[in-house]
Amino acid sequence: MMRLWQVLCGAALLLSSALVSADPLADLKLFYAEVSSLSGDFEQRLLDEDGDTLERYAGRFWMQRPGRFLWLYDTPYEQQLGADGETLWHYDVDLRQITMRDAATSLSGTPAELLGGDLSQLDRYKLTRLSDADGLEWLQLLPHSDSSDFEEIRIGMAGGQPAQVLLSDRLGQTTAMILHDLKRNPKIGAERFSLQVPEGVTVVDERPGA
């Protein structure tokens, strides 16, 4: 489940990233002005200290500001992670269980808050332009708060689009998100982010007052 949270935060950063010039904040403002939704395919890898792949996942995603997203994992097993702006949910298809949480509380203090479009969220990070590597232009984000789950976040840009996101947590693990076939501003119906509970699936509701 922790690895899914890392994916979520990396994905949120994708919607806040047009960071390819020497002025990341200017690019970010332009991106918020031009892009309200994003979709594509992803590959997620858990890397060891040598950069070797320990685990690999793949699937599709849809995102829409403010605060709506859906990640569909196809490989190695089927699961879903989604939010409708108020509720965050995780559906483990094999276990036939859905866990629901309050989105605002669960995402507080994470990069996912950037989905809301508030540029003041950038104040949570120190932004540094890194050297180009592997054909990508890299930006480093270091959280100012020691309470953040992440020690470092790096975003690799290609042609003005996010191509990779590397999330290094405080446990020494790195998750790499590799993105393909991105579509800017696709039309996405509200039903895409609406949770439909299949018959026979157990729901664990962890929202306050549930």
Side-chain angles (χ1 to χ4, degrees):
M1 186 65 179
M2 181 58 192
R3 198 52 49 189
L4 287 175
W5 289 115
Q6 290 182 320
V7 171
L8 167 62
C9 294
L13 281 167
L14 303 180
L15 272 183
S16 60
S17 302
L19 309 172
V20 65
S21 75
D23 187 351
L25 183 57
D27 282 338
L28 180 57
K29 290 180 179 178
L30 180 62
F31 190 84
Y32 272 111
E34 295 182 344
V35 177
S36 60
S37 62
L38 190 71
S39 66
D41 299 331
F42 73 90
E43 180 181 348
Q44 174 191 345
R45 298 176 183 175
L46 176 61
L47 308 177
D48 63 17
E49 295 181 355
D50 297 323
D52 295 326
T53 300
L54 300 176
E55 299 175 4
R56 178 186 176 276
Y57 305 85
R60 297 160 289 156
F61 75 91
W62 296 262
M63 305 186 71
Q64 186 178 74
R65 289 194 284 131
R68 296 177 176 86
F69 54 83
L70 178 64
W71 293 80
L72 297 183
Y73 287 74
D74 300 324
T75 304
Y77 51 87
E78 188 177 353
Q79 53 187 320
Q80 302 177 12
L81 185 68
D84 60 8
E86 296 182 358
T87 298
L88 179 70
W89 49 272
H90 171 236
Y91 177 23
D92 189 313
V93 177
D94 288 343
L95 292 179
R96 299 189 62 77
Q97 177 174 297
I98 294 175
T99 302
M100 303 170 64
R101 296 178 178 175
D102 177 73
T105 302
S106 299
L107 302 179
S108 177
T110 73
E113 285 188 308
L114 293 173
L115 269 173
D118 185 354
L119 291 178
S120 68
Q121 295 296 333
L122 278 182
D123 295 339
R124 297 177 181 269
Y125 305 93
K126 176 185 177 182
L127 281 69
T128 304
R129 181 76 157 80
L130 302 178
S131 300
D132 296 356
D134 301 322
L136 301 177
E137 298 170 303
W138 289 92
L139 183 82
Q140 180 191 58
L141 284 78
L142 297 178
H144 292 305
S145 173
D146 292 335
S147 63
S148 172
D149 291 333
F150 301 94
E151 189 171 79
E152 178 192 39
I153 300 168
R154 282 176 285 165
I155 301 174
M157 306 291 294
Q161 295 271 57
Q164 288 191 35
V165 177
L166 301 180
L167 303 162
S168 299
D169 64 29
R170 298 188 182 279
L171 299 177
Q173 295 181 322
T174 297
T175 297
M177 293 296 301
I178 303 166
L179 307 176
H180 309 279
D181 300 324
L182 293 182
K183 296 179 176 60
R184 295 163 66 106
N185 292 323
K187 293 183 178 180
I188 307 174
E191 66 277 1
R192 172 68 68 181
F193 310 109
S194 177
L195 173 60
Q196 304 295 328
V197 180
E199 185 177 354
V201 170
T202 300
V203 175
V204 179
D205 195 340
E206 298 181 353
R207 293 174 296 177

